[in-house]
Amino acid sequence: QVQLVESGGGLVQAGGSLRLSCAASGSTGGINGVAWYRQAPEKQREWVAGINSGGSTAYAESVKGRFTISRDNAKNTVSLQMSSLKPEDTAVYYCNAEAVVRGKYMNYWGKGTPVTISS
């Protein structure tokens, strides 16, 4: 099993920055890709950014150039640096990990951290 705990959310004014962290524990050796998703009120959860085991990254168009995803394998953490924040970035942000555990492909989610951007 893999446990994911997000932190770093909060209330920030538009134009500000926040850094989210996702700490993994458990069978972390099997983790391949890690991604951040977000879900705004009354909207579907959407993919924001991802990073694979090789360090390659990808971003949704809406955050490209403003958000940066990174991972520290030694600390089993993945971070999301968010800059130039906009009110439309307001959402609960979730960490997601794809892992191979006991030979099976598994998908894990954290409980989320809320981000509110005031205009």
Side-chain angles (χ1 to χ4, degrees):
Q1 297 292 323
V2 173
Q3 294 79 41
L4 302 173
V5 178
E6 301 96 334
S7 62
L11 172 63
V12 175
Q13 285 190 331
S17 300
L18 274 177
R19 186 177 182 86
L20 306 183
S21 291
C22 172
S25 60
S27 300
T28 58
I31 294 177
N32 295 322
V34 178
W36 285 93
Y37 286 74
R38 66 186 181 187
Q39 187 166 16
E42 301 182 356
K43 291 189 176 181
Q44 287 190 330
R45 190 172 297 188
E46 64 174 355
W47 174 82
V48 175
I51 185 167
N52 65 15
S53 56
S56 295
T57 60
Y59 300 91
E61 283 298 322
S62 60
V63 307
K64 197 172 290 185
R66 300 187 298 122
F67 291 11
T68 301
I69 189 171
S70 61
R71 67 191 292 170
D72 185 333
N73 291 329
K75 295 182 178 180
N76 292 319
T77 59
V78 172
S79 298
L80 185 68
Q81 178 67 46
M82 308 187 295
S83 303
S84 302
L85 286 162
K86 307 174 181 179
E88 51 264 43
D89 294 318
T90 295
V92 177
Y93 283 70
Y94 298 91
C95 182
N96 171 271
E98 297 177 341
V100 177
V101 179
R102 298 191 188 92
K104 295 183 179 180
Y105 287 92
M106 305 293 287
N107 198 275
Y108 298 94
W109 291 92
K111 294 184 178 181
T113 184
V115 171
T116 303
I117 311 302
S118 63
S119 56

